[in-house]
Structures are given as C-alpha cells and as structure tokens.
C-alpha cells in the first residue's frame, strides 16, 4: 500500500504529493498504533477465537472447525485479521500470539470432544500458522509440548499454511513439514491456487489437505473457467490422495456443484460464519446428528 501510494504520488506531481504524504502519515500512524496495541493484546486478554464449522460433504456431519482470531480492543472499532495479522507477522509479535492461538484452540477442542463424547465424532481443529511461526526454530517443540499438555489426539490437529510460507528451498520446507507430520499432525495448504508456488510441490511436500481459496468458489455461478479449475483441483487431489476443503461456500449452487464433484469438506457462510465459543457449542448441539442443508 505504501509503495503504491509513493508511486502514485511521484506520478502525480507536487500538490498530489502532499495529499499522498498525508495519506501515508495516516497509514503509518495507524500501523504503529496497531503494533503497539498488539504488543499487550495477549496480556490484556483482548484476543478471542471464533470457530467456523467444517462439514463432511458425504455425510453432512460436523467434523470440526477452523479457529479464526479476533481482537477486541477498545482502541479500534473494526480491526480484522487481514489487517492486524500481517502487522503481527512483520513485528514478530505473531510468535507469542500464535502460541496463544494454538494453546487456546487445542484446549477448547478437547473440551468439546469431552462434552460431545458418543454424540459427535469431532475429528479436526484447524489452526492458521504464519510463515514466521513455521520457520521459527522453537515451533516444532512448541507444537509437541502443546499437544502433550492438552492431551489432544495429534491427528485431530491440522496446521494451515499458505503457499507463500513454502517458497523457501523445497528441501528445507519438506524436512520441516515432515518433522511436524512425524508428530502425527495434518498439514493443509490454505488459500490454494492464489500463491506463486509451482504444482511440483504437490508431490514433493508431505501435506494432507488442500483448501480451495474462496475466490474460486465464489465465481462458480458465473465463471465456466472456475468450474473447470475446481474440477481439475479435485481430480489432482484424488490422484495424490489429498482431502479438499472448499472455503467460502455461500450458495446452494456452489454446495451442489462441489458435492457432485466429490469435494471432501465444506466451510462457508452457507452453513455458518465463524462463531464465538458459546455459539459454536450451540451449533454443535443443534446439528449433532447432521447439518441439514
Ligand atoms: P483464512 O485462513 O483463509 O480464513 C478464511 C477466511 O474467510 C476467514 O476470514 C473467514 O471468516 C472467511 N470466510 C469463511 N467463510 C466465508 C464465506 O462463506 N464468505 C466469505 N466472504 N468469507 C468467508 P477472517 O476470519 O477474517 O480471517 C482472515 C485471514 O486471517 C485468514 O484467512 C487467515 O489467513 C488469517 N488468520 C485468521 N486467524 C489467524 C490466526 O490465528 N493466525 C494466523 N497466522 N492467521 C490468521
Ligand atoms: Mg485458514
Ligand atoms: Mg483460506
Ligand atoms: Mg485467506
């Protein structure tokens, strides 16, 4: 954003330079305020996880959730992960925040499993992991110790990585991933299709799940090419034995198309938006047999 503003400013000459300078000052001070606020967010207990249900296409059963971070701060009215997560990453604060997210999500998941024993078989808690965390030398140890502390079945944990976290040397990334897999956890590629990576990593990296980005799902109605693209992704996934989660499913048409194409799991507003813990538990109670579409 700053780069674009600077470029526009240079292009437009003096008067506009002032305008963009002002915009940039505003942007920089908001960014700094967010960074400062985030510094104490864990300590001040301003962080909260919302949970978005994940549904099995074949059975319509709720099989788990993705944990999504929310920041309740008195300093800003609306501040969403797309704005504050990149700042947490650049400032390194994501390490502390990410650890809190893992701990909280796993503890919560184990509590749900206990409450719904014999009623719902909850199999998955998906947690977003930033590149910074994945590359940090303590990460493997942290994951291992949180698994032991919470007593979660490791296969229930799915770590979500975006493609941009995988652009490093393929061998390094692969070794790092394999060590996590050796703990028994699953790994998914989030926002699949939006990154820069080549398809060759599909057979070289030991992950288990693809999450089709919502931008592809959203265009299913209008765009013949997107239908083709999703069909192709699902075919590749079957070849390599990956599970596929479709993100951002909002309409019946999208749901029916993906079901027909044998997509594995659904996540999206068509079923539910991300919910605070208490509401998620109510969702589980209400849909304990299966979700009715
Ligand atoms: P993501 O991991 O790809 O998460 C999916 C995003 O799509 C979420 O946005 C979710 O609320 C939204 N979504 C789900 N269903 C629908 C739908 O049907 N329609 C539309 N329009 N949107 C839908 P959210 O919660 O704002 O999070 C944005 C991004 O922030 C996440 O994208 C993820 O990359 C990042 N993020 C969130 N929580 C964490 C976290 O704890 N750690 C890290 N490192 N990143 C996180
Ligand atoms: Mg995700
Ligand atoms: Mg995603
Ligand atoms: Mg995303």
């Amino acid at each position: 954003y700053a780069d674009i503003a600077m470029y526009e400013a240079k292009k437009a000459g003096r008067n506009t330079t002032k305008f963009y300078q002002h915009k940039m000052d505003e942007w920089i001070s908001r960014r700094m305020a967010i960074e400062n606020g985030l510094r104490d967010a864990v300590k001040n207990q301003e962080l909260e996880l919302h949970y978005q249900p994940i549904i099995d296409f074949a059975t319509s059963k709720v099989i788990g959730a993705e944990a999504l971070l929310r920041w309740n701060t008195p300093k800003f009215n609306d501040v969403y992960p797309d704005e504050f997560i990149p700042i947490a990453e650049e400032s390194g604060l994501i390490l502390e925040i990410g650890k809190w997210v893992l701990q909280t999500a796993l503890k919560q998941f184990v509590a749900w499993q206990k409450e719904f024993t014999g009623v719902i078989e909850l199999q998955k808690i998906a947690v977003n992991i930033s590149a910074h965390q994945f590359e940090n030398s303590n990460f493997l140890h942290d994951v291992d110790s949180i698994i032991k502390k919470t007593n979660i079945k490791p296969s229930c944990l799915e770590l979500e990585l975006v493609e941009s976290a995988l652009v490093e040397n393929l061998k390094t990334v692969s070794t790092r991933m394999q060590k996590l897999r050796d703990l028994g956890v699953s790994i998914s590629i989030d926002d699949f299709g939006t990154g820069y990576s080549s398809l060759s990593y599909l057979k070289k990296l030991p992950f288990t799940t693809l999450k089709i980005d919502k931008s592809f799902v959203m265009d299913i109605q209008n765009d013949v090419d997107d239908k083709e693209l999703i069909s192709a992704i699902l075919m590749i996934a079957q070849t390599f034995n990956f599970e596929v989660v479709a993100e951002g499913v909002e309409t019946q048409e999208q749901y029916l198309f993906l079901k027909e194409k044998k997509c594995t799991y659904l996540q999206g507003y068509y079923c539910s938006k991300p919910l605070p813990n208490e509401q998620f538990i109510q969702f589980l109670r209400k849909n304990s047999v299966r979700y009715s579409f």
Side-chain angles (χ1 to χ4, degrees):
Y1 182 89
D3 285 349
I4 295 169
M6 191 60 106
Y7 173 77
E8 290 292 331
K10 280 191 179 138
K11 213 172 59 177
R14 269 198 180 280
N15 259 339
T16 8
T17 308
K18 257 195 186 149
F19 172 78
Y20 281 109
Q21 185 62 51
H22 177 69
K23 281 274 158 216
M24 246 174 76
D25 289 348
E26 252 177 25
W27 180 80
I28 288 168
S29 69
R30 180 171 169 94
R31 201 199 169 287
M32 274 169 57
I34 289 176
E35 187 178 325
N36 283 331
L38 277 177
R39 211 171 289 286
D40 298 320
V42 172
K43 194 183 72 203
N44 293 346
Q45 299 183 300
E46 292 172 351
L47 298 181
E48 185 188 0
L49 291 180
H50 285 192
Y51 301 96
Q52 187 172 34
I54 300 173
I55 314 281
D56 187 330
F57 268 106
T59 63
S60 298
K61 284 183 185 300
V62 186
I63 61 111
E66 175 176 3
L68 292 155
L69 189 57
R70 297 293 179 261
W71 180 23
N72 307 310
T73 165
K75 292 189 199 84
F76 306 95
N77 288 329
D78 292 304
V79 60
Y80 291 98
D82 283 331
E83 183 175 17
F84 71 76
I85 293 280
I87 296 173
E89 281 171 13
E90 282 160 37
S91 59
L93 291 166
I94 195 69
L95 294 180
E96 187 198 3
I97 292 172
K99 216 160 143 176
W100 179 89
V101 169
L102 256 179
Q103 241 152 13
T104 308
L106 268 51
K107 215 167 93 186
Q108 200 50 255
F109 180 78
V110 171
W112 301 333
Q113 273 187 325
K114 206 166 159 193
E115 181 170 347
F116 289 92
T117 307
V119 182
I120 308 179
E121 202 200 329
L122 292 167
Q123 305 161 33
K124 194 198 288 257
I125 179 74
V127 179
N128 293 286
I129 302 299
S130 82
H132 227 82
Q133 288 174 277
F134 180 60
E135 284 157 17
N136 186 268
S137 56
N138 290 326
F139 184 60
L140 185 73
H141 171 263
D142 287 348
V143 173
D144 188 36
S145 76
I146 296 171
I147 287 174
K148 294 203 167 99
K149 213 161 68 191
T150 54
N151 214 9
I152 192 176
K153 193 174 157 204
S155 62
C156 290
L157 172 59
E158 185 160 289
L159 303 172
E160 299 196 354
L161 296 166
V162 286
E163 287 173 74
S164 56
L166 312 174
V167 291
E168 245 191 303
N169 177 296
L170 201 63
K171 188 92 192 73
T172 315
V173 173
S174 173
T175 308
R176 199 176 284 144
M177 260 193 194
Q178 189 56 50
K179 285 185 180 152
L180 287 163
R181 291 299 315 282
D182 290 344
L183 297 179
V185 308
S186 306
I187 299 178
S188 66
I189 307 296
D190 203 354
D191 302 350
F192 181 71
T194 61
Y196 312 99
S197 312
S198 79
L199 282 181
S200 72
Y201 72 68
L202 284 179
K203 62 173 201 274
K204 293 191 177 133
L205 296 178
F207 56 86
T208 50
T209 310
L210 295 179
K211 296 195 79 169
I212 302 181
D213 190 62
K214 54 179 177 285
S215 58
F216 301 118
V217 174
M218 273 170 188
D219 283 339
I220 282 178
Q221 282 99 317
N222 340 340
D223 199 326
V224 180
D225 288 345
D226 272 313
K227 278 192 179 149
E228 295 295 331
L229 191 60
I230 289 182
S231 302
I233 291 173
L234 287 166
M235 267 166 63
I236 293 171
Q238 273 166 25
T239 310
F240 288 100
N241 255 326
F242 301 132
E243 296 181 333
V244 182
V245 183
E247 290 192 316
V249 180
E250 291 186 357
T251 69
Q252 187 183 42
E253 191 180 351
Q254 293 163 349
Y255 161 74
L256 290 173
F257 175 78
L258 290 158
K259 189 175 161 74
E260 188 206 308
K261 295 288 175 186
K262 301 274 185 296
C263 187
T264 336
Y265 301 121
L266 171 152
Q267 200 186 323
Y269 297 169
Y270 185 55
C271 168
S272 169
K273 59 181 193 184
L275 303 168
N277 188 51
E278 272 311 307
Q279 284 179 41
F280 181 76
I281 290 172
Q282 280 168 27
F283 180 93
L284 289 178
R285 287 206 186 101
K286 187 160 168 258
N287 302 286
S288 62
V289 179
R290 74 180 69 81
Y291 181 81
S292 46
F293 287 99

